[in-house]
Amino acid sequence: MNCRSEVLEVTVESRQVEESMLALLHTILLHRSTGKFHYKKEGTYSIGTVGTLDIDCDFIDFSFVRVSSEELDRVIRKAVSEFKDALSNSGSDGMGQISLEFYQKKKSRWPFSDECIPWEVWSIKVNVVNLANEQERQICREKVGEKLGEKVINVVEVINRHEYLPKMPTQSEVDNVFDTSLKDVQPYLYKITYQITDSLGTSVSTTMRRLIKDTLAL
């Protein structure tokens, strides 16, 4: 199986890291989740509905839609919080990457553990910059909102392509394809990982500051 890979990149100030990551991860998971499966008999099932919520960001001029499951939100927020803390501890300016990998399980014979086969990976590269004053922060607030809007459209376009998805499983195999641990939603099996890289190079920081100064000059 070929695993497809998508890369998104955002440049934000430190207080925008959490909201920008939540917006992108939740957007992807909204399109990679179903309602709970209710099996009547083997091979016959109905699928419950997926509730949604509109979320307004505090530090970015942006709103996004997420699955209304509070359980799923807690899991995503925990991973994003750990990523944000790791970025903060790496220095005031930094670079990092958070990845959302979807996979399915292939049962192995005892005593071997099940094999996890990835089929889609989203990598979000984050560049963190420092800004000098509140005027620059306000411009960054607007610019990051615009960029996030473009990324969300990007995500939707990619997901709407007719590409591989795991086939709908039988009742005995549902745990090989979906995370059934949540009571109100059923995302495809996934895991979130992150890594922190070296300090931010001057190119990204300079580009963001130039963008802000050009806006101030208008």
Side-chain angles (χ1 to χ4, degrees):
M1 180 195 307
N2 291 325
C3 175
R4 60 181 173 272
S5 179
E6 300 291 338
V7 179
L8 305 171
E9 187 166 357
V10 294
T11 299
V12 297
E13 62 167 325
S14 58
R15 66 179 182 173
Q16 297 171 325
V17 170
E18 185 169 13
E19 289 181 334
S20 59
M21 295 303 96
L22 287 172
L24 293 174
L25 292 174
H26 268 304
T27 296
I28 297 166
L29 278 162
L30 173 65
H31 295 277
R32 289 290 183 241
S33 300
T34 72
K36 297 289 286 185
F37 281 24
H38 303 286
Y39 286 90
K40 299 172 184 176
K41 57 183 179 179
E42 188 65 33
T44 304
Y45 59 88
S46 60
I47 302 177
T49 58
V50 176
T52 59
L53 282 177
D54 293 336
I55 305 297
D56 297 323
C57 296
D58 292 326
F59 302 114
I60 308 171
D61 285 348
F62 190 69
S63 299
F64 63 94
V65 180
R66 70 164 174 86
V67 174
S68 59
S69 169
E70 295 303 320
E71 285 183 287
L72 181 60
D73 184 53
R74 280 196 296 271
V75 173
I76 304 306
R77 283 183 180 276
K78 182 176 183 295
V80 168
S81 179
E82 291 173 357
F83 174 62
K84 183 188 72 172
D85 290 345
L87 262 181
S88 298
N89 293 335
S90 70
S92 56
D93 282 1
M95 296 179 69
Q97 177 174 295
I98 191 165
S99 297
L100 174 58
E101 176 186 299
F102 294 99
Y103 65 94
Q104 62 187 103
K105 291 180 184 177
K106 181 180 180 182
K107 293 293 185 182
S108 299
R109 293 184 178 180
W110 187 88
F112 302 104
S113 58
D114 295 342
E115 184 180 0
C116 296
I117 305 171
W119 53 270
E120 183 175 79
V121 178
W122 294 84
S123 298
I124 307 171
K125 294 183 178 180
V126 184
N127 306 306
V128 182
V129 295
N130 275 334
L131 301 177
N133 53 54
E134 191 56 40
Q135 189 175 21
E136 288 189 355
R137 292 189 187 94
Q138 183 58 38
I139 294 169
C140 185
R141 177 189 180 98
E142 297 169 4
K143 294 298 181 184
V144 171
E146 293 172 6
K147 292 297 181 183
L148 277 181
E150 294 172 7
K151 302 300 180 188
V152 166
I153 292 173
N154 238 2
V155 169
V156 175
E157 288 175 346
V158 169
I159 285 176
N160 281 337
R161 294 173 190 163
H162 295 294
E163 296 184 311
Y164 173 83
L165 285 175
K167 68 178 182 179
M168 289 295 104
T170 59
Q171 185 171 7
S172 60
E173 296 180 340
V174 66
D175 290 322
N176 295 337
V177 177
F178 290 99
D179 177 357
T180 59
S181 65
L182 307 177
K183 65 182 180 182
D184 51 1
V185 69
Q186 196 165 275
Y188 284 99
L189 288 171
Y190 70 92
K191 64 179 179 180
I192 299 175
T193 57
Y194 67 82
Q195 61 186 43
I196 307 301
T197 53
D198 293 335
S199 292
L200 177 64
T202 58
S203 59
V204 175
S205 182
T206 301
T207 300
M208 173 59 80
R209 295 188 70 84
R210 186 183 299 122
L211 178 63
I212 289 171
K213 288 178 180 178
D214 288 346
T215 303
L216 284 171
L218 292 178

